[in-house]
Amino acid sequence: SSSYLWIHSTGHGCSWIQDNSTCCNTAASNDCSRLGPSYSVFPTKPAEVSSVQDLFEFICSGPLFNKLGLTPEKVAESVDKWLEYGSHLCRLFQLNELYLTVPEKARLYHYYVPVFLWCEDQISQHRSTFKDGEDISPLVIGFSAPQGCGKTTLVFALEYLFQITGRKAATVSIDDFYLTAEGQAKLREEIPGNALLELRGNAGSHDLAFSVETLTALTQMTKEGMKMKLPRYDKSAFNGRGDRADPSTWPEIEGPLTVILFEGWMLGFKPLPVEVVKAVDPQAEIAMRKAGNPGMSDEEVKDFVSRYLPAYKAYLPTLYAEGPNGSDPKRLVVIEIDEGRNPLPGN
C-alpha cells in the first residue's frame, strides 16, 4: 500500500522552462504556462511564539490547512503536539524557537508539521486494514517533485519526527538505484550516441531489478530483530560520474518498519510511446547541424540534457492530466510551492 505527496512548484528556482512541476491537478495544469515567479508574502517582522493562542491562530491560517484535512477542533485537541513537533524541528534546523521569523514559523507550522500529521493519518488508515495478530507491512509514501524543490529536506524533517515519536522509518531516493559505474559504462557502449543516457539521471540509468528487490525487502521488515542496510549512491565517485557507494558505508535499519519514505524527481511518470520520447531527444540538434540547419552546440546540448528538460517535456503532460502512475486519488496530496519552497494558498 502506498500514498503520494506530489509537490508542484510555480517558481523558476528549479531547472525547467515553464514551471518546474512534477504534477498538478487538472485545474492547475491550465495555468502551467504562466510567466513570472509566484511568491508567498511574508511580513518582515519577527514572529515570537508568545502564546498557544497565537500559534493556534497561525496554524489555522496555513495554506494547506483544509487540503490536509485539518480543522480548528483537531488542532485545538493536539496543539501541545504541534508545539512539541515544532520544538524538535527547531533543534534539528538550529532555529531559535522563541523568536522565529515568519518564514521560519510558516515553514514549520504551515508545511512540515501539517505534512507529518497527514503522513501519520495515512499510516493509521493503512494499519487499520490489518487484523489483530497479522504482520503489518510498512506504508510506502512517495514524494515526487523537481530537483531543487526541497523534497529531500522535507523527507529529512519527516524522518526525524518519526524517529522522535518512536516510529521506525526508512528513507530511500530514486538516486540510490542508479547503475554502478560499470553498469553506466556498459550502457554507453550498448547505446552509443544517446545523450539522454550519457550520464546518470534519466530513466534508463537506474538498476530497476535492484530497486524492486530493495523496496520488496523493505516492505517485509515487519518483525523485531530484522536488520537491513539501505543502499546509497556516491555522486562524487569517478570525477562526478558517480558509482554505488561501498556497502560497508550503507546505513543499517532495524524492523519493524512503520513507514518507507521514497523520494525522487520522476516518481509517478508513466510509460510513453517511443515516438513521443524521440520527439524531445536532443540528438535532433546534432542531426540539424549536420544538415546545415541551426542547432545547439554540443555544450548547449549537454547543458540541456543535464537540466532534465527532455524528460519533463515528454512526461509532464500526461502527469498533469492523469496524476502519478498507480496512485490512489484518495491518498494523493498535491502541494503547490513558490520559488522560496513555501506552500501557496488556493491549492
Side-chain angles (χ1 to χ4, degrees), residues 181-194 197-198:
E182 181 181 354
Q184 289 179 39
K186 184 177 180 182
L187 182 65
R188 287 192 295 271
E189 291 176 2
E190 292 176 347
I191 314 177
N194 188 328
L197 297 177
E198 179 68 22

Side-chain angles (χ1 to χ4, degrees), residues 194-265:
N194 188 328
L196 292 175
L197 297 177
E198 179 68 22
L199 301 172
R200 68 174 191 276
N202 280 292
S205 63
H206 299 82
D207 188 332
L208 294 183
F210 180 55
S211 66
V212 171
E213 175 188 327
T214 300
L215 290 170
T216 300
L218 284 173
T219 60
Q220 295 172 351
M221 295 278 289
T222 60
K223 298 183 183 296
E224 292 281 351
M226 298 181 74
K227 296 182 179 181
M228 178 178 169
K229 286 195 169 187
L230 295 176
R232 291 294 184 256
Y233 195 84
D234 181 4
K235 294 181 180 179
S236 67
F238 293 94
N239 296 318
R241 284 189 174 268
D243 195 8
R244 192 166 298 156
D246 190 294
S248 64
T249 67
W250 296 358
E252 187 175 69
I253 56 169
E254 295 187 16
L257 290 181
T258 300
V259 61
I260 299 166
L261 308 176
F262 186 28
E263 58 103 342
W265 70 274

Side-chain angles (χ1 to χ4, degrees), residues 13-333:
C14 308
S15 51
W16 81 280
I17 290 176
Q18 292 182 331
D19 64 38
N20 316 318
S21 311
T22 49
C23 169
C24 58
N25 55 30
T26 303
S29 69
N30 294 327
D31 195 34
C32 286
S33 61
R34 64 185 177 212
L35 299 177
S38 298
Y39 301 93
S40 293
V41 179
F42 295 126
T44 57
K45 181 182 177 181
E48 184 174 357
V49 180
S50 57
S51 71
V52 173
Q53 182 62 31
D54 288 344
L55 179 62
F56 172 80
E57 293 175 357
F58 187 81
I59 291 169
C60 293
S61 70
L64 302 181
F65 190 77
N66 294 323
K67 175 180 282 290
L68 298 181
L70 296 171
T71 64
E73 292 75 20
K74 286 183 180 180
V75 174
E77 292 172 0
S78 60
V79 71
D80 288 344
K81 283 189 174 182
W82 285 79
L83 279 167
E84 178 190 354
Y85 298 155
S87 179
H88 283 298
L89 290 177
C90 282
R91 286 195 285 274
L92 178 66
F93 293 113
Q94 299 182 342
L95 302 175
N96 183 346
E97 64 180 294
L98 297 179
Y99 204 60
L100 296 171
T101 66
V102 173
E104 289 169 347
K105 190 176 174 183
R107 181 61 59 90
L108 300 184
Y109 295 110
H110 285 176
Y111 195 7
Y112 292 169
V113 176
V115 169
F116 175 70
L117 293 173
W118 178 81
C119 291
E120 287 270 85
D121 182 61
Q122 295 297 307
I123 291 169
S124 296
Q125 291 183 46
H126 169 69
R127 296 176 73 86
S128 69
T129 62
F130 293 83
K131 298 178 181 178
D132 290 342
E134 287 184 329
D135 286 342
I136 301 178
S137 61
L139 176 68
V140 180
I141 302 180
F143 298 80
S144 186
Q147 296 90 338
C149 285
K151 60 183 177 297
T152 301
T153 305
L154 171 63
V155 169
F156 176 64
L158 296 176
E159 183 179 25
Y160 181 72
L161 289 177
F162 281 122
Q163 177 185 332
I164 60 100
T165 54
R167 295 188 184 274
K168 293 182 179 178
T171 299
V172 287
S173 167
I174 197 171
D175 294 356
D176 295 322
F177 303 115
Y178 284 135
L179 293 168
T180 62
E182 181 181 354
Q184 289 179 39
K186 184 177 180 182
L187 182 65
R188 287 192 295 271
E189 291 176 2
E190 292 176 347
I191 314 177
N194 188 328
L196 292 175
L197 297 177
E198 179 68 22
L199 301 172
R200 68 174 191 276
N202 280 292
S205 63
H206 299 82
D207 188 332
L208 294 183
F210 180 55
S211 66
V212 171
E213 175 188 327
T214 300
L215 290 170
T216 300
L218 284 173
T219 60
Q220 295 172 351
M221 295 278 289
T222 60
K223 298 183 183 296
E224 292 281 351
M226 298 181 74
K227 296 182 179 181
M228 178 178 169
K229 286 195 169 187
L230 295 176
R232 291 294 184 256
Y233 195 84
D234 181 4
K235 294 181 180 179
S236 67
F238 293 94
N239 296 318
R241 284 189 174 268
D243 195 8
R244 192 166 298 156
D246 190 294
S248 64
T249 67
W250 296 358
E252 187 175 69
I253 56 169
E254 295 187 16
L257 290 181
T258 300
V259 61
I260 299 166
L261 308 176
F262 186 28
E263 58 103 342
W265 70 274
M266 54 188 274
L267 295 186
F269 282 18
K270 298 180 180 180
L272 292 174
V274 173
E275 58 270 18
V276 175
V277 178
K278 282 186 176 181
V280 297
D281 189 338
Q283 287 298 310
E285 296 288 335
I286 297 173
M288 285 171 60
R289 292 207 312 274
K290 287 183 177 179
N293 298 318
M296 291 188 292
S297 68
D298 289 341
E299 289 303 313
E300 288 172 331
V301 169
K302 289 180 181 178
D303 183 64
F304 182 69
V305 173
S306 72
R307 293 173 183 270
Y308 300 89
L309 289 175
Y312 284 130
K313 187 174 180 181
Y315 291 95
L316 285 179
T318 301
L319 204 59
Y320 285 145
E322 301 178 14
N325 190 32
S327 66
D328 180 350
K330 296 180 181 179
R331 310 196 73 169
L332 168 68
V333 169

